[in-house]
Amino acid sequence: GQKWQHFGIKDVISVSDGITEYLNAVMPGLSIKQYSQSIDRTLFKPVDMVDKNPVIAYMPGRTQDALIKTSNVIKTFYSFFPHLSWIRFDELKGLSKEDYAERLGAASICLYTDEIAGFGTMPLEAMAMGTHVVGWTPLGGKEYMEKTNGFWAQNGDIFQLAELLGMAVERWLAGKLDTESVVAEYEKTLEKYAPEKEKESLINIINEYKNERIAELSQLKR
């Protein structure tokens, strides 16, 4: 059978540490450049805690399997925590960027159920608005998912995620999440994803390609 090298793939731009590690493991010899994404802090900005609602915002999955799993997480949450049956879920679907940001910011908790994200910006957008994240840990998000900035479950584990969701809601209701120290952790995470860092990474990638081509051409001239 053909190997990946037969397709003439040499250069790849990766969007996360996790993807870079994966590519290095399965496709050794690739030239990988890393692009750093950013969060729009003019759109995703802190929301006054008095404007927060007892709502869990979430995005539906991109596949039928993902939709079923997300639905099962929500059903399991209500089954495990019947005393929290009054907590509402808000599905962020088919919204403009502005409406999405407004609804994410008005929620107290963000449920993140993307198992296959190459990076995943939703948890970072939530952090930027003081919305606490409970989610799975896809390969792409592992570079920023720390136990200090969210409630992270084993990727794909429905029961663990539902349990952590209940724990997060109870901690939020007890006033233990909307604190300066928690917000400080979010800001520490977000520093890495500032627009200037994205611009810097893009300029670096362009310069690296330019220098490589110059080196190749000078070799050909010899």
Side-chain angles (χ1 to χ4, degrees), residues 160-206:
Q160 190 190 12
L161 189 57
E163 209 169 306
L164 285 177
L165 192 55
M167 191 192 299
V169 171
E170 287 178 339
R171 288 194 67 183
W172 175 72
L173 290 170
K176 292 177 181 174
L177 291 185
D178 295 338
T179 64
E180 283 181 21
S181 61
V182 169
V183 171
E185 282 296 336
Y186 296 163
E187 287 302 326
K188 195 169 132 192
T189 302
L190 291 162
E191 275 172 18
K192 193 179 170 186
Y193 305 103
E196 52 270 25
K197 295 276 173 75
E198 181 177 22
K199 191 177 173 185
E200 197 181 297
S201 80
L202 197 54
I203 290 166
N204 286 342
I205 288 169
I206 292 165

Side-chain angles (χ1 to χ4, degrees), residues 51-61 67 70-71 73-75 77-78 84-113 122 126 129 131-132 134 165 169:
D51 294 328
K52 292 278 185 182
N53 299 316
V55 165
I56 297 166
Y58 73 101
M59 278 182 86
L67 283 170
T70 301
S71 171
V73 170
I74 294 168
K75 285 176 188 167
F77 163 79
Y78 282 133
L84 297 176
S85 60
W86 55 279
I87 296 284
R88 195 169 59 81
F89 284 81
D90 184 20
E91 184 181 32
L92 308 184
K93 187 181 180 182
L95 303 170
S96 68
K97 245 183 173 180
E98 291 72 22
D99 288 343
Y100 164 80
E102 191 180 322
R103 299 244 297 259
L104 184 60
S108 304
I109 307 276
C110 165
L111 171 64
Y112 182 65
T113 57
M122 189 185 192
M129 305 188 88
T131 301
H132 312 292
V134 185
L165 192 55
V169 171

Side-chain angles (χ1 to χ4, degrees), residues 5-6 27-28 42 45 58 63 70 72 101 105 115 118 121 128 130 139 144 154 161 165 189 194 208:
Q5 288 95 336
H6 296 161
M27 300 169 83
T42 57
K45 52 193 173 191
Y58 73 101
T63 63
T70 301
N72 285 340
E115 288 180 89
T121 56
L139 188 68
Y144 66 78
Q154 180 67 35
L161 189 57
L165 192 55
T189 302
E208 279 175 35

Side-chain angles (χ1 to χ4, degrees), residues 4-5 9-35 117-119 139-140 143 209:
W4 68 266
Q5 288 95 336
I9 301 167
K10 288 190 296 184
D11 289 298
V12 169
I13 295 174
S14 164
V15 294
S16 69
D17 292 351
I19 296 297
T20 300
E21 283 170 29
Y22 175 76
L23 289 173
N24 278 328
V26 299
M27 300 169 83
L30 270 183
S31 169
I32 302 171
K33 292 172 178 58
Q34 198 151 318
Y35 174 68
F119 180 69
L139 188 68
E143 70 180 62
Y209 275 129

